[in-house]
Amino acid sequence: MIYKTSYLKNILSVIGTCAVPAAVFTLTSCGGGSGKPYGEVQNTPAGIYREYLSGLRTQDGLSFEGLTARLGQWQTVRDSVSAHIRRDTLWRSHTDTRKECLLLHDSIRMELSRLARSRPRTYKEVLALKECFSPYAEDGELHRSAQEIRPFFASLDSRMAYRGGKEQLLSAYRTLLSETQRKGIHGHGDLTRFIEKEDALFRAFLARLNDYNDMDLSDITRDTEKCCAEVFRAAERQEITYKEAMIYMAMRTNRRVIQNVRACLDGVQRGEVATSRQAHAFIWMILQPYASLDGFCLTLLSPRDKEALDRIATETPGAFSTLRKILPSENDRLEELPGMLIEIHIATL
């Protein structure tokens, strides 16, 4: 139940702050760093923010390690400000101070966004930043549960993908989705059988991705979302736990995203993308690991998954360079995307 309210909406959308004690103001982050305790700078919330903002404005061209350190500091600064606010029983009456803090907060966010764009960034850094600041990164119970479930997903690789022609595959896919909606998910066995059968069909679909370029498959997308919703209805009925539903579906998402991007990158390398429409579609699909995988999904990645994503991140710039040649000349800012993605993630912290 501890994951229910914080993650249920996020996992459904994917399918279609680190806790710091208020009394501790020293920097601790996966990127390392240093700095004096911000609780000692000025004894007002606005003063603490002003001091931190002043330090940010002197920075430029930060390395990735320096950026993550600054983001870790920001979390500490916010905890310090929150501690001061909690101690101030008249806070709600201090409207001017509150407005000043909100303005300073926005200014800090803008400075951090500037620093995110101050140097070229990589797709590996996008993933590393999101994983580093995942609120689930230190959740030992979640890691243990994932370790117990991983053998099931690893076993899917040894199962044969669906064999059949183009039309037979689509028919089988639609039949599975229809039957799953009709029968519902009513326990752990139903959940794993659905994932197993769908995985065999999805791998077969990816193997002949170009065969479906001009086909409308929105019904499959829509019905897949409905089947995923059935998993969470089973949790509502207490036929499976919310924790089980969320972990299985997040790990399924991880697997599908990696498989999908791998198929796209291989297709680009084989020269299978010829039109502007295809190029746009492939760019969007290749961006999914960086845009769609949130902290919960990233925390559940296996070492093998991480290796696969590292390889994908390494190959992404080359694939975009190839796809850019197919696009109109004005679409020439793909190299800026990693910085933009980091900037977007900073806005969510």
Side-chain angles (χ1 to χ4, degrees), residues 89-144:
T89 57
L90 300 178
W91 169 251
R92 292 187 179 182
S93 65
H94 296 174
T95 304
D96 292 341
T97 302
R98 180 176 182 275
K99 288 181 178 178
E100 183 180 8
C101 282
L102 289 174
L103 290 172
L104 287 167
H105 186 85
D106 288 342
S107 296
I108 289 170
R109 193 184 297 277
M110 290 175 64
E111 285 298 312
L112 289 168
S113 295
R114 175 185 66 82
L115 291 172
R117 301 190 309 271
S118 66
R119 285 176 59 167
R121 304 298 176 186
T122 70
Y123 290 100
K124 282 188 178 182
E125 290 174 349
V126 176
L127 294 173
L129 187 81
K130 294 180 74 171
E131 184 178 9
C132 177
F133 291 100
S134 166
Y136 307 98
E138 303 301 323
D139 191 326
E141 181 185 351
L142 179 61
H143 283 287
R144 287 190 293 273

Side-chain angles (χ1 to χ4, degrees), residues 276-290:
S276 176
R277 179 182 176 185
Q278 285 179 298
H280 279 294
F282 270 60
I283 288 172
W284 172 244
M285 288 188 287
I286 292 170
L287 281 174
Q288 288 308 297
Y290 321 106

Side-chain angles (χ1 to χ4, degrees), residues 139-152:
D139 191 326
E141 181 185 351
L142 179 61
H143 283 287
R144 287 190 293 273
S145 297
Q147 191 66 25
E148 294 172 359
I149 293 172
R150 282 192 188 118
F152 165 74

Side-chain angles (χ1 to χ4, degrees), residues 12 22 25 46 74 77 91 95 114 122 145 169 182 199 210 234 254 279 284 307 317 338:
L12 284 174
F25 303 129
W74 188 28
V77 168
W91 169 251
T95 304
R114 175 185 66 82
T122 70
S145 297
L169 172 58
R182 180 172 58 83
D199 186 81
N210 276 346
N254 287 346
W284 172 244
E307 289 178 5

Side-chain angles (χ1 to χ4, degrees), residues 53-70:
L53 178 59
S54 177
L56 282 181
R57 285 173 171 163
T58 67
Q59 301 293 310
D60 197 17
L62 279 185
S63 66
F64 176 70
E65 292 76 14
L67 179 63
T68 55
R70 283 293 180 173

Side-chain angles (χ1 to χ4, degrees), residues 175-192:
T175 297
L176 171 66
L177 298 175
S178 176
E179 289 183 352
T180 300
Q181 292 178 72
R182 180 172 58 83
K183 296 178 180 178
I185 302 290
H186 297 288
H188 178 84
D190 288 342
L191 171 60
T192 54

Side-chain angles (χ1 to χ4, degrees), residues 68-86:
T68 55
R70 283 293 180 173
L71 287 168
Q73 278 185 327
W74 188 28
Q75 293 184 323
T76 306
V77 168
R78 287 183 301 172
D79 286 336
S80 181
V81 169
S82 296
H84 278 263
I85 290 172
R86 285 194 296 269

